[in-house]
Amino acid sequence: MSPQSPSNASSISTDADQAGKNPAAAFGPNEWLVDEIYQQYLQDPNSVDRAWWDFFADYKPGAAAAQAASGTAATGA
């Protein structure tokens, strides 16, 4: 075994842990795009590629979307 194997395994499990908390986190800096496509999916599922449908079926928006929604709610109140 390579001495790098444990290092690689721990970084993978860390990425998996973050993705478990927020599935969009696996997309890294493109997480905003996933949230944007999700909003489009909510309005009209047929407007996004069917490849996203299974992903969004049980998707819960990340912290960025939650902050945007709470900011909008606070402004509207």
Side-chain angles (χ1 to χ4, degrees), residues 11-39:
S11 66
I12 291 170
S13 65
T14 302
D15 292 344
D17 291 342
Q18 290 174 355
K21 294 176 186 173
N22 179 6
F27 293 95
N30 293 324
E31 184 177 344
W32 67 270
L33 182 58
V34 176
D35 287 330
E36 187 173 298
I37 294 171
Y38 180 64
Q39 292 304 314

Side-chain angles (χ1 to χ4, degrees), residues 5-73:
S5 295
S7 173
N8 290 343
S10 64
S11 66
I12 291 170
S13 65
T14 302
D15 292 344
D17 291 342
Q18 290 174 355
K21 294 176 186 173
N22 179 6
F27 293 95
N30 293 324
E31 184 177 344
W32 67 270
L33 182 58
V34 176
D35 287 330
E36 187 173 298
I37 294 171
Y38 180 64
Q39 292 304 314
Q40 185 176 345
Y41 169 81
L42 290 176
Q43 292 177 6
D44 180 13
N46 291 315
S47 69
V48 301
D49 192 282
R50 284 186 170 261
W52 286 103
W53 290 17
D54 287 337
F55 180 80
F56 289 141
D58 60 350
Y59 176 71
K60 303 289 186 243
Q67 288 174 354
S70 67
T72 301

